[in-house]
């Protein structure tokens, strides 16, 4: 399964980095969180808090296993964002740092970023380039304003921006964000959609051999997929997308995509399960209820991704119903506040009469740190020499956003198909 990475234990090449990241987050976040709440001021958007860790310990930082420096960027802004996204501070820290284990997805994109999942699969740590880091800081105010005005935004939710500096001087920037995919539902197909066609095809033979591949625009069209939404949900989705895309255009951002995971409730989680374990995975309203008292019990520390792996290996021991029914409570807890994440942590299909269907979509707009810089402009120019200038991924942000929006509207059931460029050859 694509989003289940390798657990990083002691001895893993990135263990020290992970340890430092989590220690920094634990101390930085709890420091800020311990202070009295106050309203934000301009300086908060550029603030940096520095921490020095060493094996002896200092006045402000407890001793750590390794020497390193940690920087917390705009801590008050992220504190407010987390609150706005209905994240409980203690819960956040617990998810990330109670066990000091992350699983590493490695580097799935071309960018060289690494992705790590928190133990319970709720959060993703993405390492980013220095330029991306600076860009996020530059747009932080607009982003903050936008998510406050758009509580149901489809854009990635950012919970923290940090840097670890290792003794030999290497600096690693990283951001913490929401995992769009749930720990308790199998994702049957994953797509990364941009609305462009060139280079947007994942080889079907490869996809058939490897479950969990991230498919692209042309696969979506070839397979005849649609986001099945009735008039009500379709209107909500389009309205939110329009607003989010307008921000991307205003901030001069391109190259983002809609990540979408499909869960077919008729298939459920059964693909690798033994028949007698089925009942514990049936959708139950109970799973959506929050039971905070359970969170801290040791018996509930079963790691979601480990569990998923165990499930996939059909290990009956990992499937005692206690562990499984307890698992989802934390994951969906904050999601119930958000329109597009409230059905089992996702957005459920509806028919033309707005009645619920059997698909759950886990979707959001990801990869938001690419401004249309001179490098990208060069790419547009030279790629445009050989290919249709409008169908490559790299076009100016206004055009990128419009094409993205039009394409996504065209793939919603009942959406405007005429918005889809004819040259794709997949239009009706
Ligand atoms: P590139 O710039 O080459 O596209 P990148 O390193 O910037 O790559 P992203 O596009 O942000 O990477 O993400 C790569 C993949 O990681 C996605 O296709 C998706 O499978 C997974 N991913 C990224 N963000 C999330 C998220 N918020 N939730 C779940 N999965 C995610
Ligand atoms: Ca991307
Ligand atoms: Ca990227």
């Amino acid at each position: 399964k694509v989003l289940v990475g390798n657990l990083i234990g002691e001895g893993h090449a990135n263990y020290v980095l992970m340890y430092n990241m989590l220690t920094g987050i634990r101390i930085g976040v709890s420091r800020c969180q311990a202070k009295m709440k106050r309203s934000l001021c301009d300086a908060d958007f550029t603030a940096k808090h520095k921490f020095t860790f060493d094996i002896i310990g200092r006045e402000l930082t407890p001793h750590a296993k390794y020497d390193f420096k940690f920087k917390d960027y705009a801590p008050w802004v992220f504190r407010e964002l987390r609150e706005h996204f209905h994240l409980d501070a203690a819960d956040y820290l617990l998810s990330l740092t109670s066990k000091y284990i992350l699983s590493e997805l490695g580097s799935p994109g071309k960018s060289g970023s690494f992705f790590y999942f928190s133990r319970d699969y709720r959060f993703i740590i993405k390492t980013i380039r220095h330029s991306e880091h600076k860009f996020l800081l530059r747009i932080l105010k607009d982003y903050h304003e936008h998510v406050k005005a758009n509580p149901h935004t489809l854009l990635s939710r950012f919970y923290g921006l940090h840097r670890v500096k290792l003794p030999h001087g290497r600096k690693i920037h990283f951001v913490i964000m929401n995992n769009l995919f749930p720990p308790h539902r199998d994702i049957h197909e994953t797509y990364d959609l941009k609305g462009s066609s060139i280079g947007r095809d994942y080889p079907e033979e490869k996809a058939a051999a490897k479950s969990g591949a991230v498919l692209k625009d042309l696969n979506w069209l070839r397979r005849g997929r649609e986001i099945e939404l009735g008039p009500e949900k379709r209107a909500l989705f389009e309205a939110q997308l329009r607003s989010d895309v307008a921000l991307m255009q205003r901030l001069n951002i391109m190259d983002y995509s809609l990540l979408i995971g499909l869960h077919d409730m008729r298939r459920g989680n059964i693909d690798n399960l033994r028949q007698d374990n089925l009942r514990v995975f049936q959708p139950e309203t109970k799973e959506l209820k929050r039971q905070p008292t359970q969170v801290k019990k040791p018996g509930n520390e079963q790691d979601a991704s480990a569990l998923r792996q165990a499930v996939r290996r059909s290990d009956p021991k990992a499937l005692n119903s206690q562990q499984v029914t307890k698992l989802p409570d934390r994951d969906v807890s904050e999601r119930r506040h958000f329109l597009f994440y409230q059905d089992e942590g996702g957005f459920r299909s509806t028919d033309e009469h707005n009645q619920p269907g059997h698909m759950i979509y886990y979707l959001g707009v990801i990869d938001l740190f690419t401004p249309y810089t001179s490098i990208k402009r060069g790419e547009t120019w030279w790629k445009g020499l050989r290919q249709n200038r409008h169908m490559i991924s790299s076009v100016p942000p206004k055009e990128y956003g419009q094409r993205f929006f039009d394409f996504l509207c065209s793939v919603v059931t009942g959406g405007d198909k005429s918005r889809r460029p004819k040259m794709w050859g997949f239009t009706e």
Side-chain angles (χ1 to χ4, degrees):
K1 189 76 182 181
V2 68
L3 284 175
V4 176
N6 304 316
L7 287 182
I8 305 179
E10 242 164 310
H12 186 286
N14 288 333
Y15 179 79
V16 175
L17 173 62
M18 178 200 74
Y19 175 92
N20 296 352
M21 292 198 294
L22 296 183
T23 304
I25 293 169
R26 187 164 60 83
I27 302 307
V29 170
S30 48
R31 257 307 114 71
C32 178
Q33 215 71 47
K35 293 181 187 148
M36 282 271 278
K37 204 185 161 183
R38 57 165 176 79
S39 45
L40 293 181
C41 60
D42 274 352
D44 289 324
F45 287 88
T46 49
K48 309 172 178 66
H49 291 185
K50 269 191 193 173
F51 299 89
T52 303
F53 291 89
D54 57 35
I55 49 174
I56 298 157
R58 297 168 171 238
E59 196 188 340
L60 285 174
T61 51
H63 76 93
K65 269 168 66 170
Y66 311 101
D67 292 350
F68 67 98
K69 292 195 166 118
F70 183 83
K71 250 189 195 178
D72 196 357
Y73 294 87
W76 285 91
V77 177
F78 285 102
R79 173 179 166 169
E80 212 199 84
L81 282 170
R82 289 191 300 270
E83 230 163 77
H84 176 73
F85 292 133
H86 297 277
L87 271 188
D88 175 68
D91 217 24
Y92 176 66
L93 283 178
L94 198 72
S95 282
L96 278 166
T97 69
S98 69
K99 272 286 178 174
Y100 275 67
I101 292 184
L102 297 172
S103 47
E104 183 180 64
L105 187 57
S107 180
K110 288 188 293 281
S111 72
S113 285
F114 277 72
F115 290 78
Y116 299 92
F117 294 97
S118 64
R119 231 178 113 73
D120 60 5
Y121 208 58
R122 272 166 91 191
F123 303 108
I124 292 181
I125 296 178
K126 178 183 181 182
T127 64
I128 54 178
R129 274 176 292 204
H130 189 208
S131 59
E132 295 180 301
H133 167 99
K134 284 189 292 192
F135 183 68
L136 173 56
L137 280 177
R138 202 154 67 232
I139 63 166
L140 189 57
K141 212 160 179 194
D142 295 274
Y143 172 81
H144 176 261
E145 216 167 82
H146 179 81
V147 301
K148 292 215 104 171
N150 293 265
H152 300 295
T153 183
L154 290 159
L155 301 178
S156 282
R157 300 170 196 282
F158 299 117
Y159 303 135
L161 177 66
H162 312 285
R163 188 189 84 181
V164 161
K165 189 170 158 196
L166 301 173
H168 50 269
R170 198 174 145 223
K171 295 169 185 164
I172 296 110
H173 298 90
F174 58 100
V175 67
I176 300 164
M177 59 188 181
N178 61 319
N179 182 3
L180 283 169
F181 298 150
H184 63 303
R185 291 274 171 266
D186 276 1
I187 299 296
H188 297 129
E189 279 178 14
T190 308
Y191 293 90
D192 179 291
L193 302 177
K194 289 187 175 176
S196 59
S197 61
I198 292 171
R200 304 298 298 161
D201 200 359
Y202 188 94
E204 293 283 353
E205 342 48 279
K206 249 170 90 188
K210 177 184 160 203
S211 86
V214 181
L215 306 170
K216 298 182 186 176
D217 305 64
L218 292 180
N219 307 92
W220 176 277
L221 295 175
R222 185 179 301 115
R223 295 176 176 209
R225 294 289 176 264
E226 279 193 331
I227 305 176
E228 294 165 29
L229 299 177
E232 272 174 20
K233 282 195 166 178
R234 187 197 313 146
L236 291 166
F237 177 70
E238 283 189 15
Q240 189 57 57
L241 197 63
R242 180 178 286 117
S243 167
D244 291 339
V245 166
L247 177 77
M248 296 291 100
Q249 292 175 315
R250 189 157 63 77
L251 297 178
N252 215 27
I253 299 172
M254 32 98 53
D255 233 19
Y256 47 89
S257 48
L258 186 86
L259 182 66
I260 173 164
L262 311 184
H263 175 81
D264 185 337
M265 294 166 87
R266 292 169 305 184
R267 258 172 91 176
N269 284 1
I270 64 175
D271 288 6
N272 295 308
L273 276 184
R274 288 181 16 193
Q275 205 58 26
D276 55 325
N277 286 313
L278 278 184
R279 70 190 160 75
V280 300
F281 279 97
Q282 298 290 307
E284 280 173 28
T285 45
K286 198 169 91 212
E287 291 186 351
L288 287 166
K289 262 198 256 132
R290 192 185 155 120
Q291 293 159 301
T293 47
Q294 286 194 346
V295 168
K296 281 143 204 158
K297 282 193 208 149
N300 200 34
E301 280 171 2
Q302 179 70 31
D303 169 37
S305 61
L307 191 64
R308 286 167 73 97
Q309 278 173 329
V311 166
R312 237 152 242 110
R313 275 186 258 111
S314 294
D315 176 2
K317 280 202 276 330
L319 285 172
N320 78 60
S321 56
Q322 264 188 334
Q323 287 172 330
V324 177
T325 47
K326 275 185 200 166
L327 181 70
D329 297 330
R330 287 176 66 186
D331 180 68
V332 291
S333 58
E334 77 273 5
R335 298 191 182 206
R336 70 187 190 282
H337 299 281
F338 306 113
L339 186 56
F340 300 106
Y341 304 99
Q342 63 179 223
D343 308 322
E344 308 274 332
F347 194 46
R348 187 163 172 185
S349 63
T350 50
D351 65 14
E352 275 309 295
H353 309 290
N354 303 310
Q355 294 307 304
H358 50 74
M359 297 298 292
I360 301 180
Y361 304 109
Y362 294 93
L363 46 79
V365 180
I366 61 158
D367 205 5
L368 313 182
F369 307 140
T370 312
Y372 190 60
T373 58
S374 50
I375 299 163
K376 278 288 171 193
R377 257 177 234 140
E379 195 180 315
T380 307
W381 179 79
W382 75 258
K383 278 195 180 164
L385 287 180
R386 292 177 298 131
Q387 285 158 316
N388 183 324
R389 204 187 69 74
H390 299 285
M391 297 314 290
I392 58 179
S393 157
S394 180
V395 296
K398 271 259 173 290
E399 181 177 343
Y400 190 94
Q402 189 63 45
R403 189 179 62 183
F404 180 75
F405 179 73
D406 285 347
F407 177 72
L408 291 174
C409 291
S410 84
V411 302
V412 176
T413 316
D416 186 354
K417 300 267 184 304
S418 71
R419 289 166 181 264
R420 191 181 306 161
K422 293 278 183 286
M423 60 193 102
W424 285 30
F426 287 99
T427 42
E428 281 84 329

